Amino acid sequence: MAILPPVHTGDHLGARFGSDDAFLSAAAEFAHVGVTGGAQVMIFPSPRLRGSLGDRLGASPPLRRALHEGHLHVMDTVQARHAGGGFDAGRLHAAYRDAALAATAAGYPGLWVAVDMAWACPVDRADAVDAVDIDALIAFEAAANTLFTLGTLTALCAYDTRVFTSGHVFRACQAHPAIAEAARFGHRATADGDGLAFSGEADRSNALAWNALLSSFDPGHHVVDISAMSFLGVRALADLADLAAADRSRPLTIRATSSQVTRLSLLRIDRLAAIEVLPARTP
């Protein structure tokens, strides 16, 4: 079963897999795309798959060369999991931020990271040891989307359906803007740094990621550009309305196409925010 959706620089991908081979194949493909693009790549497999992953990567001459030259790394998930103590969302957020900064400082265009999320085995499993509360994990995944705004971090978070329940996997994937065989959106800072510009699709499948990014707006952010969005579900529009209605020092400006403005007006969002009409564009 292929679990890897198309990967673009700056993506925060959520995926599910149900076999060892599915993860190994996806990790190798992810590594190949990252290495080909010149990125530094780190793969965090479950401990029992480290050897198999090394063999899979080593079977590819470009990836074998990248391993030898230090551009590609198979990481020790257990060591990383326990570095600095137990699960700490703030510490982990800072670790990813600092690792991406270190990669760019070393001359790479960015850092690509693929993780078998079984390290965070849910606490309600009978075999859970030093596990992570699933709600805390999903909250971390959603909040982590701000790390991808600059486009210097790309990540694949792979959830094993043999470890996580279908409900856990669905909610975890909702915290990612891009999911295999579902909606996906991208985001970047606006040219003036005064907000976020989005592209793609926002619906129920990535609702937690969309909400988290809108909720991350600070007082200096007052622009949401949705002109490159091809679809916004009712929930996504409701989140946009909530942001527009929030007590702000400066009114929200929404940049949208003429057809999008029609939908905004149906929900009376045009009464809550300033609307700038832009030509329809592609990402």
Side-chain angles (χ1 to χ4, degrees):
M1 177 182 64
I3 66 165
L4 190 65
V7 188
H8 307 292
T9 298
D11 276 346
H12 184 202
L13 302 165
R16 56 177 61 83
F17 69 98
S19 71
D20 294 348
D21 187 67
F23 175 80
L24 294 172
S25 296
E29 182 180 348
F30 181 88
H32 178 77
V33 177
V35 166
T36 300
Q40 184 180 56
V41 180
M42 297 180 180
I43 310 294
F44 290 81
S46 65
R48 63 185 180 78
L49 291 181
R50 282 194 76 193
S52 298
L53 179 61
D55 292 341
R56 182 71 62 97
L57 299 176
S60 163
L63 297 183
R64 184 168 62 248
R65 184 168 57 253
L67 284 166
H68 178 72
E69 295 176 351
H71 306 306
L72 171 61
H73 305 269
V74 177
M75 308 300 291
D76 186 332
T77 307
V78 174
Q79 183 179 17
R81 168 73 174 83
H82 292 285
F87 175 72
D88 182 310
R91 178 180 59 80
L92 192 55
H93 186 102
Y96 278 112
R97 179 199 62 210
D98 293 346
L101 288 172
T104 56
Y108 295 100
L111 174 67
W112 286 45
V113 180
V115 185
D116 179 344
M117 298 301 294
W119 65 266
C121 178
V123 295
D124 58 0
R125 278 177 59 96
D127 57 348
V129 177
D130 194 23
V132 177
D133 177 75
I134 192 67
D135 292 326
L137 178 64
I138 293 170
F140 164 76
E141 288 273 40
N145 283 294
T146 57
L147 292 168
F148 298 83
T149 304
L150 296 177
T152 55
L153 179 64
T154 304
L156 168 66
C157 303
Y159 285 82
D160 190 338
T161 56
R162 299 166 298 181
V163 173
F164 296 90
T165 68
S166 59
H168 290 161
V169 173
F170 177 77
R171 289 175 56 216
C173 285
Q174 282 187 304
H176 296 76
I179 308 100
E181 300 178 352
R184 65 183 297 151
F185 69 79
H187 79 282
R188 293 291 183 269
T190 55
D192 294 331
D194 52 4
L196 294 176
F198 293 91
S199 60
E201 305 167 322
D203 67 9
R204 183 168 177 259
S205 66
N206 52 16
L208 296 180
W210 172 262
N211 178 271
L213 283 165
L214 293 186
S215 298
S216 73
F217 268 50
D218 61 35
H221 289 163
H222 59 88
V223 174
V224 178
D225 186 340
I226 61 171
S227 61
M229 296 289 289
S230 56
F231 180 79
L232 290 98
V234 173
R235 181 171 177 177
L237 288 169
D239 287 341
L240 194 56
D242 288 342
L243 178 63
D247 185 15
R248 308 175 55 82
S249 60
R250 184 172 178 177
L252 185 71
T253 294
I254 301 175
R255 295 173 181 161
T257 65
S258 57
S259 61
Q260 290 170 334
V261 170
T262 300
R263 294 198 70 194
L264 296 176
S265 63
L266 287 174
L267 295 178
R268 299 189 176 184
I269 298 176
D270 57 334
R271 300 187 181 185
L272 301 172
I275 306 295
E276 292 183 7
V277 181
L278 301 180
R281 63 184 180 90
T282 55

